[in-house]
Amino acid sequence: MQDGIGVTDRPDISPAEDKTPGSREKGLNRVLEIFEFLHTTQRAIGIGDLAKGVNAPRSTTYTLVRSLVDAGLLEMAGDGNRVYFGKKLYLYGMDYVRGNDLLRRGRQEVDDLSRQTGETSELCMLQSGRYTIVHSSPGTRPFRISSATGLQIPLPWTASGRLLLAGLERADIEDMVSEDDLVLPDGRRLKLDDFIADIATAKSTGYCVTSGLVDAYTKCLAAPVFSVPGKVEATMCLVVPIDTSREKTDELLILLRQRAARLSIAA
Amino acid sequence: MQDGIGVTDRPDISPAEDKTPGSREKGLNRVLEIFEFLHTTQRAIGIGDLAKGVNAPRSTTYTLVRSLVDAGLLEMAGDGNRVYFGKKLYLYGMDYVRGNDLLRRGRQEVDDLSRQTGETSELCMLQSGRYTIVHSSPGTRPFRISSATGLQIPLPWTASGRLLLAGLERADIEDMVSEDDLVLPDGRRLKLDDFIADIATAKSTGYCVTSGLVDAYTKCLAAPVFSVPGKVEATMCLVVPIDTSREKTDELLILLRQRAARLSIAA
DNA sequence: ACAATTTGTCTCTTACAAAAGACACCTGTA
DNA sequence: TACAGGTGTCTTTTGTAAGAGACAAATTGT
């Protein structure tokens, strides 16, 4: 029997870290795992496969899914055998946006910046210790470099990561960065000390530029957004081709930092 | 002891229907109630008050809230003692939008229509048997009639409600409409038969206009959005002053129906 | 047509999460 | 100062939800 039937066109999602082999799991935790799983797969999935994916008993999964569908947090997708996120989650998400000035205004600034420059622009935040793209606006290049909203990437891979950690103690930083995080997609390995030095530099200069980190073709410009003075709440960033000229880069950096500063004012 | 301490500036949210007095409640259900409660209050709330609001033991509430905050579904708000929806819910909500053509395109159409006409425009859907404003764009009037996204209103109060139920059996309609739903905000009482007749009319004409139903000052124009031919998946609607001229109304109706039809095409 | 799966529903058992309640700790105020 | 009210954390008990598994029905492939 082949495992992971039906989703084998993906790197086969790791079957959820088995904590204690046959141990019972709290229903709520199962639900949280289901959400994360759906978030990573980004598509509707059959209940059987879902059970496999989150490593939960089939019977339990059926029960939970039914509850969630009844509540509207999940919905049965088109053909009636797969589930995905539901309207309720969208509504709650909009509630969050409404209650969150920074996000609401940040989305606007990002969209404007992207229209103004034609480049891909993103709003990034820390999400439970990980770098997260919270909003992204594609830009107008023929081959745009897009990464999905909600994508989580190791902090050391990004310019924003260096800014988001500015002001933290060394110990805190070590806690948030695993060994694996220091290995870039192309196999190169960053030194933790270099990363920490980068953070200090970013903090003092008030911006950060990285080249060819996540991939060989892009450069990433990032500027901090402060909630209270000194506390970096988010970053705005621009993703541009790596061969963008020095002058052009500086010009973009000015626009970027202006908008990031504007966002900081009344947060 | 006064009940509902701390949130007494609101019509005092009903302390959650007590099903069986002292009975134990499943954790997941408690969580669902918490979400609904936050959705109705639309503001961050202290954990103690939250426990009261959902009628749950304090200890349980603390445990659940901690789980949810750790998971990022809730966040501790500013002063550090109140909770509200978290970033994760926003991300999941965006996943839903991405996976849902109709919603994504519907939001666009609504925004465009609102800009084009200057009137408040909304996208509405059935959400677990209730009329729900899924997206709303304010329009440009000095005193705009706005209702919050995610608001749930009795079906008989709205033009959209009449369209959303088109095609359902009489029995199904009766199930979805309670006695209370037939009583308008001003105290007038609709006859169920009249409502069902309205639905039939709306179905055959392909649009619906109601005047002074939810309040005395507005008129509501609605047009259906079909998923498969015959099945009303959503409605688009315009909210205009009740004294809008016949000609103006007809003109708006044409624009509205055009866009609604466009939405229906490829859903 | 016949396996071989998978799906959705159901039952029963017991491990464990929900609830009760006690605790120390902060307020504000009388 | 003592009091009344709220937080946030712990421990203990027990009702019950998670899980194992069996089932018929639907779906696959050969």
Side-chain angles (χ1 to χ4, degrees):
Chain A
M1 167 199 145
Q2 52 174 333
D3 57 0
I5 298 168
V7 280
T8 26
D9 52 342
R10 289 250 155 184
D12 214 44
I13 291 83
S14 64
E17 21 166 346
D18 42 356
K19 19 179 61 176
T20 32
S23 177
R24 233 199 217 190
E25 210 15 305
K26 191 156 38 171
L28 177 54
N29 288 337
R30 293 253 116 107
V31 168
L32 298 178
E33 281 170 32
I34 287 175
F35 286 164
E36 278 306 291
F37 185 78
L38 291 176
H39 181 59
T40 59
T41 57
Q42 289 279 324
R43 47 136 77 68
I45 189 173
I47 301 182
D49 290 338
L50 181 59
K52 289 204 192 80
V54 298
N55 215 19
R58 234 163 43 86
S59 54
T60 306
T61 309
Y62 269 97
T63 311
L64 292 176
V65 166
R66 168 160 343 171
S67 290
L68 294 171
V69 168
D70 287 347
L73 298 199
L74 298 185
E75 277 174 21
M76 306 306 295
D79 57 347
N81 180 29
R82 316 176 97 84
V83 279
Y84 196 54
F85 291 120
K87 252 184 286 301
K88 267 283 169 58
L89 283 172
Y90 161 73
L91 295 176
Y92 295 158
M94 290 301 99
D95 287 342
Y96 174 72
V97 175
R98 206 172 305 122
N100 193 311
D101 267 1
L102 181 63
L103 178 53
R104 191 172 58 239
R105 293 164 49 232
R107 286 170 58 119
Q108 191 60 51
E109 290 288 350
V110 161
D111 289 345
D112 291 349
L113 179 62
S114 157
R115 204 169 310 123
Q116 183 183 21
T117 63
E119 306 288 351
T120 297
S121 175
E122 292 166 351
L123 182 71
C124 311
M125 294 172 126
L126 276 185
Q127 168 65 23
S128 52
R130 310 218 75 198
Y131 164 91
T132 307
I133 301 175
V134 160
H135 183 63
S136 148
S137 191
T140 56
R141 293 193 173 276
F143 295 99
R144 38 170 128 138
I145 315 115
S146 68
S147 15
T149 309
L151 200 67
Q152 300 207 338
I153 296 177
L155 287 158
W157 297 10
T158 67
S160 292
R162 286 158 174 73
L163 286 164
L164 288 167
L165 298 185
L168 293 191
E169 300 295 329
R170 188 194 169 92
D172 297 331
I173 297 175
E174 283 174 353
D175 282 351
M176 302 181 79
V177 175
S178 75
E179 282 301 308
D180 293 344
D181 289 351
L182 291 167
V183 179
L184 296 175
D186 62 4
R188 279 183 296 160
R189 184 184 190 77
L190 292 175
K191 282 208 175 63
L192 181 61
D193 286 331
D194 291 348
F195 179 56
I196 291 180
D198 280 358
I199 294 174
T201 312
K203 178 180 171 135
S204 63
T205 57
Y207 66 88
C208 183
V209 178
T210 58
S211 284
L213 239 47
V214 263
D215 63 62
Y217 324 104
T218 57
K219 194 190 277 196
C220 188
L221 326 182
V225 175
F226 298 98
S227 49
V228 294
K231 169 137 179 56
V232 179
E233 188 70 28
T235 64
M236 284 182 67
C237 74
L238 281 169
V239 183
V240 301
I242 200 166
D243 56 4
T244 305
S245 71
R246 181 63 200 276
E247 296 71 37
K248 179 71 177 170
T249 302
D250 287 346
E251 182 190 315
L252 289 172
L253 210 43
I254 290 175
L255 293 173
L256 173 65
R257 295 183 67 187
Q258 272 177 357
R259 290 198 182 268
R262 175 143 26 129
L263 253 185
S264 299
I265 306 174
Chain B
M1 165 198 146
Q2 55 172 327
D3 56 0
I5 297 165
V7 279
T8 26
D9 51 343
R10 289 249 156 185
D12 212 45
I13 290 85
S14 64
E17 16 156 0
D18 43 354
K19 19 181 61 179
T20 31
S23 177
R24 232 200 222 189
E25 207 20 302
K26 189 154 42 171
L28 177 53
N29 288 337
R30 293 251 116 109
V31 168
L32 298 179
E33 279 169 31
I34 288 175
F35 286 164
E36 278 308 289
F37 185 77
L38 291 176
H39 181 60
T40 58
T41 57
Q42 288 279 326
R43 49 136 75 71
I45 190 173
I47 301 184
D49 290 337
L50 181 60
K52 288 204 193 78
V54 300
N55 214 20
R58 235 162 42 86
S59 54
T60 306
T61 310
Y62 270 97
T63 313
L64 292 177
V65 166
R66 177 174 319 189
S67 290
L68 293 171
V69 169
D70 287 347
L73 298 199
L74 298 184
E75 277 175 22
M76 304 307 295
D79 59 344
N81 181 29
R82 315 178 99 84
V83 278
Y84 196 53
F85 291 121
K87 253 184 285 300
K88 268 281 168 59
L89 283 172
Y90 161 72
L91 296 177
Y92 295 157
M94 290 301 99
D95 288 342
Y96 174 71
V97 175
R98 207 172 303 122
N100 193 310
D101 266 0
L102 181 62
L103 178 54
R104 191 172 58 240
R105 290 164 52 231
R107 285 169 61 120
Q108 190 62 50
E109 290 289 350
V110 161
D111 289 345
D112 291 349
L113 179 62
S114 157
R115 204 169 310 123
Q116 182 182 19
T117 62
E119 305 289 351
T120 298
S121 174
E122 292 167 351
L123 182 71
C124 311
M125 295 172 119
L126 277 185
Q127 169 63 24
S128 51
R130 310 218 75 199
Y131 165 89
T132 307
I133 301 176
V134 161
H135 183 63
S136 146
S137 191
T140 56
R141 291 193 174 277
F143 296 98
R144 35 170 131 139
I145 316 115
S146 67
S147 17
T149 309
L151 201 67
Q152 299 206 338
I153 297 178
L155 287 158
W157 298 10
T158 67
S160 293
R162 287 159 172 73
L163 286 165
L164 287 166
L165 298 185
L168 293 190
E169 299 297 330
R170 187 192 168 92
D172 297 331
I173 297 175
E174 283 174 354
D175 283 350
M176 302 180 79
V177 175
S178 76
E179 281 302 308
D180 293 343
D181 290 351
L182 290 168
V183 179
L184 295 176
D186 63 4
R188 278 182 296 159
R189 183 184 192 75
L190 293 176
K191 283 210 174 62
L192 182 61
D193 284 332
D194 291 347
F195 179 56
I196 292 181
D198 280 358
I199 295 174
T201 313
K203 178 178 170 134
S204 65
T205 56
Y207 67 89
C208 183
V209 178
T210 58
S211 285
L213 237 47
V214 263
D215 62 64
Y217 323 105
T218 57
K219 192 190 277 197
C220 187
L221 327 181
V225 176
F226 299 97
S227 50
V228 294
K231 170 143 178 50
V232 180
E233 188 70 26
T235 65
M236 283 181 69
C237 74
L238 280 169
V239 184
V240 301
I242 200 166
D243 55 3
T244 305
S245 72
R246 181 65 200 275
E247 296 73 36
K248 179 70 178 171
T249 302
D250 287 345
E251 183 191 314
L252 289 172
L253 209 43
I254 291 175
L255 293 173
L256 174 66
R257 296 184 68 188
Q258 273 176 357
R259 291 199 182 266
R262 176 142 26 127
L263 254 184
S264 299
I265 306 175

